[in-house]
Amino acid sequence: MRTGHFKESPSQLIALSDSKVVWGWVGGLLCLMLAMPYLVGVYGLTLVVSALIAVIGAVALNMLTGQTGLISLGQAGFLAVGAYANAILLTDYAWPVWLTLPAAGLTSAAISILVGVPSLRLKGLYLAITTLAFSFIINHVILYAEALTHGPNGVFVKGARMFGFDVQKGLPLYYLALALTVATVLAGLNLSRTRIGRAWLAIRDHDIAARVMGIDLVRYKLLAFAISSFFVGIAGALMSLQIRFVNVDVFALILSIEALAIIILGGLGSVAGAVLGAVFLSFLPEGLRLFFALVADPNSTFYTNYVYEIRGIAYGAVIVFALRFKPEGLIGIWRDARKYWSNWPLAY
Amino acid sequence: MKKTTLTCAALLLSATAYAADPGVSDTEIKIGDVNIMTGPAAFVGKGFSIGTKIAAGEINAAGGINGRKIVVITEDDGYVPARSFQALTKLLEVDKIFALNGTSGTANVLAMMPLITENNLPTIVTQAPAALVYTPVRPSVFTFGASYEDAFYAQLKYIHDNLAAKDAVYGIIRQDDDFGKEVEAGFDRAVKEFGVTAPVRVRFKKGTNNFSAEMAQMKQAGVTVLANGGIFAGAANILSEARKLDMNIQSAGVWSEGIPASAALSAPAGYNFLVGDYVSLVGPANDKFKLLAKKYASDEEIAAISRYTYVSYIGLKTMAEAMRLCGKDLTRACTIEKLKGLKNFDTGGLSAPVSFDNPKQLSGTSVGVYQYDAKERTFKALADFKQY
């Protein structure tokens, strides 16, 4: 049994994990993900792709809110920028999708700098309101810049082919989303251990103290916005590929709230928590549907009349109970379980 | 021998074709419905699902469609386009529906459109008959309903011809989206044709609830005929502001204001506003429908009947007629073909007869004009269904 952590070389220090067991689990999970299209049906795959997009968005928001402490309610806006950039470049300018995807991320990152500037002076709820205002501005621009965005009519996304495959549906879309999710998670994990990531943590814990230690607040706060928004833009682009239609209604404010709920439920500040939160909330409605289909009496008029209300209440209740009894989030449950397993049969 | 082989091949081919279309068994036909069952606009989806239930009950009680019962499967999208896409994916892949009757809002049906066309899914759009749905025309998509442009033009024409003074001043307040643009198109057409003064055009963001500044602008311009492009609480708040400013106006509204619950919100302002709609809100057809509803719906559901109930009823009855015409060998291709050829299908007076035999596959474009009596809280018909 392992009794402690002893790092004897620089390579051990920079490794993501020194545990063969962890790598074994990660390898197993990756194999499972690679085999996923053959294990679930088309609908299941659609849900998994949506969950992967949510994972990218959550890991990105975690960089900004969880790691840097900058609360953002503008995720729906950044998502819209990425989705529209991808849709317009693909459909109106016939760019190849391998170019539109990074372009979507870069566009979102560039615009985020504008939002990031006020963050240099604002914190907490004040910043949240500023980012919320940004979402409204983006909606306004989408509606009024008709020559570019097609206004309220929206854009049907088509022509996304990569290596001869149509990456807007089925297996190609799934593997593209999986590859980008793995890349985002790796970026999130690696960034948190670099100078940038540590600077973000210092800013989150106490920005004045961080500045005294020589951390350039302007640079690192703007970097947090830009890097986070880059990945949110990619998530938006993937969303536009999956739904194949974008208009302003697709990016409602509720998406920003859901994104915050995901990282809080998963465990603020943790990449694994963001992943768990995204997966949990993405599958919760489907899980509840299956649960009620099993336990509820289909002939009961009470159930058939109030099925949607019952599911809605159950959805909210699960989140409230999870946060009430485990405020550290799902990652807290995971850590407790791991500790229990490591220490077993000794008392926890 | 040759004849037997050919017969076998033909049978196999027909069996393959039959098996290729999901949602049809010897005993039932599955019809999908993606709708707003949760959230602030849930009453739209609930009203809609009641119509579907009544239509399915009536059809099944009469023996079904060539012996097959209709089974309706509803999925909630909460009015979120991304969820509409997921909901339809589930209906297609898990429930294996044959056709689609409920399609939620405009952005929602557009988000589902790639799946609808890819699967050649017979679809009748009755809730959001926007031009974007039938432009360009998708072979399997049939739209039932008038445009907001026609609905507003019809009301303004009625006001101009019957209610307004000669020196009336026209004003419009509308959302800054595709829906608002259609409302303004109807207003533009009316203003141009009548040669009247229209000094104020106000746009507002979806979800806005305070219209004090906007209505003050209207008051200052002396507006006496108002095209009220607000919906639900928004429309009521606009009229409430007008009352506060003691404005003497004739108001034209969106058809969603024909829902009893929505109209009741506007009632305290005391304006007898107009509504243009492609389904009947009052009259013998509605009374007959309510009698029918008693057989298949609960008292609670009957109380929740709204215009959305009528549109879904018409949609499913129309789809059923096309499927009936296909006979025993029911396929999606045949249903689409029969829908394309459908002419003057009688809806029992709930709307103008349905005909999809036109290049746009569009019907129900005739508009009736109704007026709300704010004191009695009832509607009365002012003008019969007419093409504008």
Side-chain angles (χ1 to χ4, degrees), chain B residues 130-144:
Chain B
L132 288 170
V133 175
Y134 53 84
T135 318
V137 175
R138 282 98 176 170
S140 70
V141 179
F142 298 83
T143 313
F144 174 81

Side-chain angles (χ1 to χ4, degrees), chain B residues 219-284:
Chain B
K219 166 90 175 170
Q220 196 177 24
V223 169
T224 53
V225 177
L226 176 70
N228 180 354
I231 44 174
F232 308 131
N237 290 346
I238 287 169
L239 292 180
S240 166
E241 283 297 333
R243 177 57 66 207
K244 273 189 214 163
L245 297 168
D246 202 23
M247 290 173 73
N248 182 20
I249 52 167
Q250 297 292 339
S251 173
V254 184
W255 52 58
S256 56
E257 302 321 299
I259 299 173
S262 193
L265 289 175
S266 298
Y271 289 108
N272 293 336
F273 60 87
L274 269 61
V275 164
D277 206 335
Y278 53 92
V279 287
S280 170
L281 297 182
V282 282

Side-chain angles (χ1 to χ4, degrees), chain A residues 42-43 46-47 50 136 139-140 143-144 146 152-154 156 169 239 242-245 247-250 254-255 258 286 289 305-306 308-309 311-312, chain B residues 37-38 46 53 74-76 80-83 85-86 89-90 93-94 107 110-111 113-115 118 132 138 176-178 181 203 205-206 298 300-301:
Chain A
V42 177
Y43 175 56
T46 305
L47 289 179
S50 300
F136 287 122
N139 276 7
H140 200 76
L143 285 171
Y144 285 87
E146 287 192 35
N153 294 353
F156 278 100
K169 57 184 176 181
M239 211 170 149
Q242 189 195 25
I243 304 176
R244 290 180 264 173
F245 172 73
N247 94 341
V248 77
D249 292 334
V250 176
I254 188 74
L255 288 180
E258 281 178 355
E286 190 60 17
R289 191 180 68 78
N305 283 344
Y306 299 104
Y308 300 103
E309 286 82 353
R311 278 196 223 156
Chain B
M37 305 305 283
T38 52
K46 288 191 173 162
K53 187 177 175 182
T74 301
E75 276 298 319
D76 171 38
V80 179
R83 288 189 202 148
F85 169 83
Q86 277 187 356
T89 307
K90 179 193 168 270
E93 303 299 334
V94 179
L110 293 176
M113 209 54 99
L115 286 174
E118 229 169 65
L132 288 170
R138 282 98 176 170
D176 62 351
D177 54 10
D178 52 335
K181 273 171 93 175
R203 294 181 190 184
K205 282 232 153 291
K206 189 177 173 181
S298 65
E300 199 183 344
E301 286 170 331

Side-chain angles (χ1 to χ4, degrees), chain A residues 229-276:
Chain A
S229 303
F230 174 81
F231 289 111
V232 176
I234 298 276
L238 278 175
M239 211 170 149
S240 75
L241 289 180
Q242 189 195 25
I243 304 176
R244 290 180 264 173
F245 172 73
V246 290
N247 94 341
V248 77
D249 292 334
V250 176
F251 307 97
L253 175 64
I254 188 74
L255 288 180
S256 299
I257 310 285
E258 281 178 355
L260 272 181
I262 283 174
I263 58 164
I264 293 171
L265 189 69
L268 215 52
S270 155
V271 173
V275 174
L276 283 176

